[in-house]
Amino acid sequence: MSFAELGLTPELLRAVAEQGYTTPTPIQRQAIPAVLADRDVLAGAQTGTGKTAAFILPILQKLGAPPARAPRALVLTPTRELAAQIAESARCYGKYLDFRTLVVFGGVNIKQQILNLRGGCDLLIATPGRLLDLADQGVADLRAVRCLVLDEADRMLDMGFIPAIKRVLKLLPRERQNLMFSATYTAEVRELASRILRNPASIEVAAPNATAERVDHQVYRVAKDHKRHLLAHLIDAGNWHQVLVFTRTKHGANRLTKQLQSTGILATAIHGNKSQAARTKALHDFKTNKVTALVATEVAARGLDIKELPHVVNYDLPNVPENYIHRIGRTARAGGSGQAVSLVSPDEAPLLKDIEALLRRKLPVTALPVFKC
């Protein structure tokens, strides 16, 4: 199947082709026709499956012309990075269309966002908190929204955004199209879906552990105090040029970054306490290979779009086993392969068992190499 068979306009097909895409992914094949047919959608899809294009392409087509003052489509997303990436995708796919996209999120000066909103937009991409700040100031008029997207709904619930989402819903017209994308279907996600969606098209593009099957898993059992030395050895000995490292805390991310830097490894950290400018620079430096290691916390890394990432390291195992799948989903994207390395200290053995139970497989334990401590 080609993108042309999905019913997209020539302008969108031209932009898609220029991005190098020829065949739609499974989520795109199912979601694009449903959205174009005005159906509500409940989709189970992880980052890396092509889900952004699955809702952005049909929304752009439905926006039509001419441009409007108030947004007619609203995308809510949990993090600043994901919001910025969705906005960039919209601009790339919509380069031959006459429409305006705005993105608003916290961590930056609100004044410029107010000026931008007063200038009008057709598609608004926002994090819930900043959107409500702008609505409270009377500059975010959502009464013309005809399509609402909740992206990474499970992550928004995990981050405590339910009260904010409920407030946003009250600002929207009752008659609208609703699209919800979630990597997992928890009870909370299903309850939210039942409240918002009407007779949705239900789309499930892969089993929860599908990404895990394409990943080369490696587990090293190592003392907690030796983890940083082992990681430095793996990076140097393996000549790794790009590795995303997960820590459990912001403080741990900062500490590990400094430790890697002290060994001569170019490293930078990304987490919620960093300014938006610092986070944007860290991601840019990592993507352009100016730094080798990007040390991140769970929330900061969710939604990062890094193509062909070869290595992901779980420096600290996640407390929630499903988050292991989210983490390693940074590699093995769009059908590719990758390597996931987990450094497991004795106290983390129960967390490893939980992950293996979720994956329904034992993860291979690799013998420790000789490294300096």
Side-chain angles (χ1 to χ4, degrees):
M1 173 180 283
S2 67
F3 280 98
E5 294 176 87
L6 298 178
L8 297 175
T9 62
E11 293 84 357
L12 289 171
L13 292 175
R14 181 182 175 189
V16 168
E18 288 181 359
Q19 292 298 309
Y21 302 124
T22 56
T23 304
T25 65
I27 184 67
Q28 293 162 1
R29 288 198 298 269
Q30 296 181 64
I32 289 174
V35 178
L36 290 176
D38 296 325
R39 293 284 306 275
D40 279 13
V41 169
L42 175 60
Q46 297 176 356
T47 301
T49 58
K51 67 180 174 67
T52 299
F55 61 80
I56 284 295
L57 287 170
I59 284 176
L60 293 180
Q61 182 155 317
K62 293 179 66 176
L63 283 176
R69 294 275 312 166
R72 289 171 286 153
L74 171 65
V75 179
L76 286 181
T77 189
T79 67
R80 297 174 262 187
E81 286 76 21
L82 188 53
Q85 288 167 16
I86 293 172
E88 180 61 26
S89 293
R91 294 183 182 113
C92 287
Y93 293 132
K95 64 187 296 185
Y96 299 112
L97 299 175
D98 186 16
F99 78 102
R100 290 170 294 186
T101 295
L102 282 182
V103 57
V104 297
F105 44 71
V108 296
N109 194 303
I110 197 172
K111 292 181 180 179
Q112 186 59 51
Q113 294 179 353
I114 291 174
L115 292 175
N116 292 342
L117 273 173
R118 285 175 175 162
C121 72
D122 303 282
L123 170 61
L124 179 60
I125 301 156
T127 52
R130 177 51 59 94
L131 179 62
L132 288 172
D133 290 341
L134 291 162
D136 290 341
Q137 295 193 40
V139 292
D141 182 359
L142 305 179
R143 292 174 295 177
V145 169
R146 292 294 175 263
C147 182
L148 167 69
V149 180
L150 293 181
D151 191 22
E152 301 210 349
D154 52 342
R155 177 57 53 174
M156 285 202 278
L157 298 186
D158 288 345
M159 294 172 66
F161 282 138
I162 271 288
I165 291 172
K166 288 180 178 178
R167 285 185 59 198
V168 171
L169 293 176
K170 292 179 180 179
L171 302 175
L172 303 175
R174 291 181 61 85
E175 293 299 320
R176 64 179 188 272
Q177 184 179 23
N178 303 285
L179 316 176
M180 183 182 294
F181 291 78
S182 182
T184 58
Y185 282 163
T186 63
E188 292 81 4
V189 169
R190 293 186 181 279
E191 194 277 330
L192 181 62
S194 68
R195 185 187 310 165
I196 296 176
L197 306 179
R198 284 170 278 192
N199 188 30
S202 184
I203 300 171
E204 183 71 44
V205 298
N209 63 348
T211 298
E213 296 301 323
R214 298 193 304 272
V215 173
D216 172 28
H217 302 264
Q218 285 187 305
V219 171
Y220 290 97
R221 294 189 177 274
V222 58
K224 187 179 293 290
D225 290 343
H226 294 170
K227 281 188 179 186
R228 65 183 186 274
H229 305 293
L230 173 58
L231 177 58
H233 171 83
L234 293 174
I235 293 173
D236 283 335
N239 195 27
W240 292 0
H241 67 275
Q242 196 178 49
V243 54
L244 177 59
V245 184
F246 283 97
T247 60
R248 190 172 293 120
T249 67
K250 302 168 189 176
H251 177 68
N254 288 336
R255 182 174 61 243
L256 178 59
T257 297
K258 292 179 181 178
Q259 290 167 341
L260 290 175
Q261 290 170 343
S262 70
T263 67
I265 294 171
L266 298 175
T268 188
I270 185 170
H271 53 68
N273 282 357
K274 296 279 187 177
S275 69
Q276 183 57 36
R279 292 167 70 160
T280 299
K281 183 179 186 303
L283 183 57
H284 176 267
D285 288 349
F286 185 60
K287 285 185 173 182
T288 56
N289 293 308
K290 291 181 180 178
V291 298
T292 299
L294 179 64
V295 185
T297 54
E298 199 90 54
V299 170
R302 184 68 177 269
L304 293 183
D305 185 15
I306 305 165
K307 295 181 180 179
E308 300 178 0
L309 176 62
H311 306 285
V312 171
V313 172
N314 294 291
Y315 189 82
D316 300 315
L317 285 187
N319 291 321
V320 179
E322 286 82 4
N323 286 344
Y324 178 85
I325 294 174
H326 297 321
R327 289 180 177 190
I328 68 173
R330 305 299 93 218
T331 186
R333 296 172 67 86
S337 61
Q339 184 182 53
V341 176
S342 297
L343 311 185
V344 183
S345 55
D347 62 298
E348 293 176 307
L351 299 178
L352 179 61
K353 284 187 177 181
D354 291 341
I355 291 168
E356 292 176 330
L358 176 67
L359 298 178
R360 298 180 182 177
R361 59 181 287 197
K362 295 285 287 184
L363 296 182
V365 176
T366 303
L368 283 176
V370 176
F371 60 96
K372 294 181 179 179
C373 292

